[in-house]
Amino acid sequence: MDEISPPRPKDFIRQIVADDLASNKHQGRVVTRFPPEPNGYLHIGHAKSICLNFGVANENGGVCHLRFDDTNPTKEEVEYVESIKSDVRWLGFDWGDHLFYASDYFDQLYAYAVMLIKSGKAYVCSLPPEKIREYRGTLKEPGKDSPYRERSVDENLDLFERMKAGEFENGAHVLRAKIDMASPNITMRDPVIYRILKKSHHRTGDKWCIYPMYDFTHCLSDSIEGVTHSLCTLEFQDNRALYDWVLENLPVKCQPRQYEFARLNLTNTIMSKRLLLKLVQDGLVDGWDDPRMPTLSGLRRRGYTPKAIRNFCERIGLAKKNSEVDIALLEHCIRVDLNERAHRVMAVLRPLKVIIDNYPEDRTEDLVFQNHPEDTAMGTRMVPFSRELYIEQDDFRMDPPKKFFRLAPGREVRLRYAYYITCVNVEKDEKTGEILAIHCTYDPETKGGSSPDGRKVKGTIHWVSAAHALEAKVRLYDHLMNKPDKDAKEEVGFADLLNKNSLEVLDVCRVEPSLKDADPGTKVQFERLGYFNVDPIDSSPGKPVFNRIVSLRDTWAKIEKAQKSK
RNA sequence: UGGGGGAUCGUAUAGGGGUAAUACGACGGGUUCUGGCCCCGUUAACCGAGGUUCGAAUCCUCGUCCCCCAGCCA
């Protein structure tokens, strides 16, 4: 019998959904929604919400709607709508026919607002913005009633109608719910539900000059769509009272329930739309899809796969506690995915010339390489070998430290899938002492990488044939932000946190010739180095540019670091 | 301190009265034609004080600390 691993314990949201299903609370339906505002690009934090909402629906035979919360035309653009749709699709989710826009409901929303006025539960307030703020009170002190609070239903109806007709300027009047100016929950102190915004909307054009506020729109949109579980982040906990109030005071068909979970925070990462925008605007990154950005478009360009991101979102868990996930987990997830799927190839990032003295000058051999050492189904390929090669500068030391298993004067190592070579001489610039080339001899008996006499070599290094290698540009990415020092005496600002070394461009790397025509978006493992993506934008035919997605775990680097700190 | 929330290994999550578990990380070892992958092991936590109970991370009481709310943003 197969071992069945125990199912991962359900998070609190999934427990609620399961309980509701068990008690038949929503007649067996599960309807969720992912409700982005089209005012920016999606990032890894949104991925958490997307995976949750679509995940919960998919797991329970339900549906998840994609609904744009487009109630503020001053901030929203079609460009964002399109990028959001393609990012959600890329992540691997399908909303089917369930694509909605809050703006589709503007007529209904207006009608609902009129109902509220008629039942005496909403009024037009003509206080200017700063007075509204003043009347709202503070955290400790209750607010006081607006002088316009007791306007007659007829006057309210007339004014609201005229607001809609465009008779007033921005800010002249607003429609407010009449709830309780003394409520300890500030959200309930007669919240504004409609405001005048003389701005054309990316979907409704100039039809409207009044637009509903989030609190009024969201719950009603959920209700109109028959959403059962409305999942949002923690900062909306106070808003839930208003969400429920609106639905309870209007003749709606169904009452969805709102549940809140903690948003994702990641170490070494900023997630705020404002700061992300600042990075772009200040030219600190290359754009929204800079491979260092936590945006889905940035991660995609970096080379992260949807599968890895989904897996990550599954593993971070879900709770109501504010937390910060270690970015090492994200990196772990992409390594797991690519370890399984990426072809292994040879690339030398910082080339050091090696000359095999006893290898014929005019000879070239094609050697057999595994595309994936653990998956023979991925096949083999031929890689040329010749007298002059490049190896990694890091793989040679004049004076090897302890535990250094690579090449050094007199040492023998294996060239992966090729021959054993022994370093016999080092060519240096007489003036600067710079190493120009390494002279080695090879053992013809070790072709393919193993010796008939069974002798062992400690190290295996990667290489490319100098004459055959392709010159390529490679970008090494590191975390965009440094981790804040918890022991720091003073609060450090955004600028101090920026990692100045988040990008290193290597212009003259040498990669094996098979990479010449790699398609944009191809993900490979440069053996012993890391996983790399063929940049979809800067690569051109025959001239791939590689983005490092993530390095391989590097045990030697740790050993060396430990040695140096002694 | 008006209201709403939250506190479990370094980090993120399980555990809903009965042996505090899993993953990432860190550390050590095995294996190895990648110092990768894989395998094994070690490390390490219930915010505090009372109470209820044979037994409390879990239930109760009182504290402490952290987060959110005073947009005509979402």
Side-chain angles (χ1 to χ4, degrees):
Chain A
M1 217 176 94
D2 288 341
E3 281 292 321
I4 295 169
S5 58
R8 194 177 197 281
K10 283 183 175 21
D11 56 69
F12 77 100
I13 298 272
R14 276 176 245 254
Q15 285 178 25
I16 289 167
V17 172
D19 290 347
D20 288 350
L21 242 20
S23 67
N24 207 30
K25 186 169 176 179
H26 303 283
Q27 296 79 48
R29 292 181 311 122
V30 174
V31 183
T32 57
R33 95 274 92 105
F34 172 61
E37 183 189 13
N39 69 343
Y41 286 77
L42 258 29
H43 55 60
I44 182 85
H46 294 108
K48 175 178 181 179
S49 174
I50 294 167
C51 291
L52 205 219
N53 278 292
F54 280 91
V56 164
N58 293 161
E59 291 155 23
N60 294 286
V63 293
C64 179
H65 300 178
L66 174 60
R67 181 177 70 234
F68 287 96
D69 233 330
D70 54 352
T71 58
N72 185 354
T74 64
K75 292 187 173 178
E76 298 151 6
E77 292 171 30
V78 266
E79 178 199 344
Y80 296 126
V81 171
E82 292 311 314
S83 79
I84 288 167
K85 278 157 65 177
S86 78
D87 283 347
V88 173
R89 241 183 323 248
W90 175 76
L91 243 199
F93 297 102
D94 181 11
W95 53 86
D97 298 330
H98 309 283
L99 173 64
F100 303 107
Y101 297 83
S103 55
D104 287 345
Y105 311 134
F106 282 173
D107 284 299
Q108 287 176 77
L109 259 17
Y110 180 81
Y112 275 131
V114 168
M115 282 182 224
L116 232 36
I117 293 172
K118 285 183 175 166
S119 60
K121 288 166 183 164
Y123 62 98
V124 172
C125 179
S126 307
L127 249 21
E130 53 293 359
K131 284 291 172 196
I132 289 188
R133 195 184 320 127
E134 197 181 308
Y135 275 60
R136 189 152 34 222
T138 67
L139 294 179
K140 291 186 197 174
E141 298 148 23
K144 52 184 183 184
D145 289 359
S146 161
Y148 302 99
R149 199 171 198 261
E150 298 308 328
R151 284 218 254 234
S152 70
V153 168
D154 286 343
E155 189 184 1
N156 283 323
L157 250 17
D158 174 62
L159 251 16
F160 189 47
E161 171 76 40
R162 288 162 63 197
M163 280 167 65
K164 181 193 176 201
E167 284 189 31
F168 310 112
E169 290 313 303
N170 289 353
H173 308 281
V174 290
L175 185 69
R176 292 228 252 170
K178 191 190 283 189
I179 307 180
D180 178 9
M181 287 308 291
S183 172
N185 179 352
I186 294 175
T187 307
M188 299 298 270
R189 315 237 261 232
D190 288 11
V192 172
I193 57 176
Y194 261 93
R195 78 290 214 189
I196 300 169
L197 242 37
K198 294 199 167 174
K199 179 85 173 29
S200 67
H201 185 279
H202 63 100
R203 299 195 85 239
T204 59
D206 294 320
K207 178 175 176 185
W208 298 91
C209 64
I210 55 172
Y211 292 92
M213 298 284 287
Y214 165 83
D215 284 307
F216 187 67
T217 309
H218 202 88
C219 52
L220 287 167
S221 302
D222 282 346
S223 179
I224 289 166
E225 293 175 16
V227 166
T228 54
H229 302 266
S230 185
L231 314 178
C232 64
T233 44
L234 254 28
E235 66 270 27
F236 290 100
Q237 288 176 124
D238 287 343
N239 300 56
R240 189 174 63 240
L242 181 50
Y243 184 106
D244 290 337
W245 184 93
V246 170
L247 295 180
E248 279 160 10
N249 286 280
L250 251 9
V252 294
K253 293 191 298 273
C254 66
Q255 170 104 25
R257 291 292 168 190
Q258 173 181 303
Y259 301 96
E260 309 87 13
F261 61 91
R263 60 166 3 111
L264 170 66
N265 295 299
L266 257 189
T267 60
N268 304 280
T269 308
I270 46 164
M271 218 72 95
S272 108
K273 278 185 182 177
R274 186 181 66 82
L275 292 179
L276 255 17
L277 180 66
K278 185 177 161 61
L279 286 171
V280 173
Q281 286 179 340
D282 293 357
L284 296 167
V285 294
D286 215 3
W288 287 99
D289 66 345
D290 184 297
R292 292 166 292 181
M293 292 283 273
T295 50
L296 294 183
S297 52
L299 290 164
R300 174 166 63 231
R301 189 170 173 193
R302 174 87 165 252
Y304 271 84
T305 59
K307 188 178 175 190
I309 294 173
R310 278 186 258 119
N311 184 231
F312 171 73
C313 290
E314 225 170 81
R315 299 176 62 151
I316 52 178
L318 191 71
K320 299 184 79 154
K321 179 175 67 164
N322 288 314
S323 60
E324 189 176 49
V325 174
D326 193 332
I327 199 165
L329 183 60
L330 214 211
E331 294 169 348
H332 170 77
C333 289
I334 188 62
R335 286 192 185 108
V336 166
D337 186 24
L338 262 18
N339 176 51
E340 203 176 301
R341 299 152 65 183
H343 281 211
R344 272 56 172 171
V345 296
M346 295 293 134
V348 174
L349 266 24
R350 297 177 176 84
L352 172 61
K353 178 74 77 67
V354 168
I355 300 160
I356 317 282
D357 290 338
N358 60 339
Y359 194 89
E361 272 182 50
D362 54 356
R363 187 148 138 217
T364 295
E365 284 182 272
D366 281 321
L367 301 174
V368 182
F369 274 55
Q370 299 281 327
N371 288 328
H372 194 299
E374 276 97 44
D375 185 358
T376 50
M378 290 175 92
T380 60
R381 68 184 184 288
M382 304 306 270
V383 175
F385 180 89
S386 62
R387 188 170 190 265
E388 297 199 358
L389 313 169
Y390 289 114
I391 65 165
E392 209 68 58
Q393 286 171 20
D394 278 351
D395 288 338
F396 175 80
R397 288 290 169 80
M398 266 324 272
D399 301 302
K402 261 183 209 161
K403 293 189 179 172
F404 183 86
F405 303 147
R406 286 109 93 144
L407 203 59
R411 289 266 187 101
E412 182 174 51
V413 298
R414 169 167 40 234
L415 292 177
R416 176 134 239 230
Y417 295 128
Y419 293 101
Y420 288 9
I421 58 168
T422 303
C423 175
V424 292
N425 199 8
V426 179
E427 212 178 295
K428 287 185 183 172
D429 184 299
E430 285 184 12
K431 287 177 194 149
T432 65
E434 184 196 355
I435 297 172
L436 300 174
I438 310 290
H439 286 265
C440 296
T441 55
Y442 85 114
D443 177 355
E445 297 294 313
T446 57
K447 180 167 177 177
S450 56
S451 69
D453 64 6
R455 72 179 188 276
K456 300 277 187 214
V457 284
K458 274 292 231 180
T460 299
I461 64 175
H462 59 277
W463 56 273
V464 293
S465 165
H468 304 86
L470 178 69
E471 201 172 292
K473 180 193 266 195
V474 175
R475 303 148 163 163
L476 304 181
Y477 294 106
D478 194 3
H479 304 136
L480 226 203
M481 312 300 292
N482 295 315
K483 233 176 186 170
D485 179 4
K486 279 181 183 159
D487 303 325
K489 295 171 207 93
E490 289 166 37
E491 186 101 353
V492 289
F494 173 66
D496 305 310
L497 245 34
L498 253 188
N499 176 8
K500 310 278 186 301
N501 306 313
S502 59
L503 170 62
E504 183 176 4
V505 181
L506 302 174
D507 284 303
V508 282
C509 304
R510 313 285 172 143
V511 303
E512 64 170 68
S514 71
L515 254 10
K516 185 159 192 265
D517 299 309
D519 291 327
T522 300
K523 287 143 191 70
V524 292
Q525 184 195 100
F526 288 174
E527 283 211 23
R528 304 209 302 134
L529 297 173
Y531 296 98
F532 293 75
N533 186 36
V534 178
D535 188 272
I537 296 178
D538 297 325
S539 299
S540 52
K543 287 203 71 176
V545 172
F546 295 93
N547 299 332
R548 184 172 69 192
I549 307 164
V550 68
S551 66
L552 253 31
R553 284 186 58 204
D554 190 347
T555 304
W556 165 242
K558 281 182 197 168
I559 294 169
E560 198 179 25
K561 196 176 168 193
Q563 285 177 350
K564 281 180 179 167
S565 69
K566 267 182 204 167

